[in-house]
Amino acid sequence: MTIKTTGSLLVVFLWYVAGLQVKVTPGTMEQNTSTLTCTTTCKLTNDSTLNYTWYKNGQQLDKPTSFQHSVKEYNTDSYSCAVSGVHSPAVCVLGQSCMAVTYSHQSICALKGSTINISCSFNYPSWNVVENITWFKKWETGAIKNVSQDPEFAGRVKYHQPTDKDSTLRITDLRLTDSAEYKFRFKTNTTSWGYSYPGTTLIVSGLQVKVTHGTMEQHTSTLTCTTTCNLTDDSTLNYTWYKNGQQLDKPTSFQHSVKVYNTDSYSCAVSGVHSPAVCVLGQRCMAVTYFHQSICALKGSSINISCSFKYPSWHVVKNITWFKRWETGAIKNVSQDPEYAGRVEYHQTTDKDSTLRITDLRLTDSAEYKFRFKTNATSWGYSYPGTTLTVTDLKVSPTTKDGKVTLTCSTTCSLSNNYTYIWYKNGQRLTNPVPTAHLTLDPLSDGDRGSYCCAVEGLDTLPSLQCPIGRSNSVNEAAVGIIVCVVILLLCLAGFIWFRKKTSKSKCDRLDTAVIGQRDTSLVYGNVSDMVMTPIAAQTLDTDNQEDLHYASVLHRNQEVSVYVTAQPSQTQEQDEDVQYAAVKFN
């Protein structure tokens, strides 16, 4: 409400802001229909010229253009209306069991480089089962492109679902190109939510410092940290200011008053997002501008981290430094770091730019790199942010849909360079597929079974880990190898047991031959019946008179049998070696 006084006349102007809503009027039981009315809290001024649009389950209907719409009653249907781009919430025709999506914000303004959450809640009949949920920003009729599968968002998108009836799309490291309308869609076992219903519009803005000069007497200027849109969370924001690249502790407001000096530049930051540095007066001041705020590069590749810098014309540059580790007053030059020995070079095309080149990148090279220069009068501070480098390796991620498996050659961050992808199957390079980051296979097909990995052109020696699809030949070969080894071990064990038995039997045979093999020509004394016999004492013979007599004592159970065997001694043996004794016991 606005109040304006004109003389003694008090004129009151009232503006009412009305929202749209759908009112459901049930019909008779015989008709089984309901009348939907798109209404407002007040009567619209130009309601005769308004065009109404209706939506059923999130999908726009072409025919109805009136503020009223007659529909059949179905529990699963919801309806909403729109006038001049303003939409009402969706309502159920009957009860609360119907398809519906409600977004937490109609629009969001966020800072470049920050993280945002786009959320919604959704409803569906209790007897339905949700089979798929999708967030998207680019769409065509019947073709919805999932944001999580978009290369532009690689490594920057995550889905969160605290309950089974809400969803949150989280996007990190926001870019200006992320500005778009984001929509949510879900499918159940019976139906799906349409894609024409409006979602949440995201506007990504960068920070900038606006300089407002004061009067000549004041000799001051007012600096304002601004954005191209009103930030959604501006009430909780903390502002940080930098002077010549060095952080100032005191100012925390979005505005800052400064004295005018030609050599000074200022910049601001909010939640880790920084604005470019601007000169307070003219263009002759200290400043550093990085070409990239962040870089994602592959392990083993080479990258250039570049910046431009400026300084007053009467200054002389004494020293330039690239560093990634620093302490107050102690800057360690990357070119002097043993970790970068032979991998770092400095390049300068002009006297106001510098490039740090790092070759053979390692995962440990991931860090924030900063540039600093000194002149004969001052130096650029070390607290101003630089370029963040993230080094990643390749990984094959499989996803299954409609019986097909899609392999994606993914990284932990979105690569800054455009690469041509290479695919390998069982160590052999594939030439038929299009060289993209995706490869679709049939796991049931013999021709598609195997182990797959990916690489990029120019870095063939640094492939990803293997990803097996189906039952690969290597698995079959390993199984056959294991079976063969088991069979060989069993055969060896059987042979060993047979050899042991053969050896034992051979010893027994030799012993039987020595003891009873000459039974016809030997003298056997004693009773060898099954009766229990008294053991016969071994008889001792005089070797001088009984040189040809051999003795053997056999014990069977409790029976002992003395066996005397007569044999001719060898002519070459001595007499004391002619007598041979043997005792055999059977258990």
Side-chain angles (χ1 to χ4, degrees), residues 548-559:
D548 297 336
L549 189 61
H550 292 210
Y551 303 91
S553 178
V554 179
L555 180 64
H556 181 258
R557 294 182 182 174
N558 294 328
Q559 306 169 13

Side-chain angles (χ1 to χ4, degrees), residues 409-485:
C409 194
S410 60
T411 54
T412 56
C413 55
S414 182
L415 294 175
S416 302
N417 295 332
N418 294 323
Y419 288 99
T420 299
Y421 290 86
I422 304 170
W423 287 95
Y424 295 88
K425 175 186 175 183
N426 298 330
Q428 299 296 321
R429 178 171 177 172
L430 300 179
T431 56
N432 293 332
V434 179
T436 64
H438 304 283
L439 182 64
T440 302
L441 304 169
D442 183 1
L444 300 179
S445 171
D446 293 337
D448 285 350
R449 293 175 181 174
S451 292
Y452 292 83
C453 67
C454 65
V456 296
E457 197 74 55
L459 295 173
D460 307 28
T461 58
L462 296 171
S464 67
L465 296 177
Q466 297 285 339
C467 179
I469 298 298
R471 187 179 297 275
S472 63
N473 293 333
S474 59
V475 174
N476 293 332
E477 293 173 358
V480 173
I482 293 174
I483 295 174
V484 171
C485 290

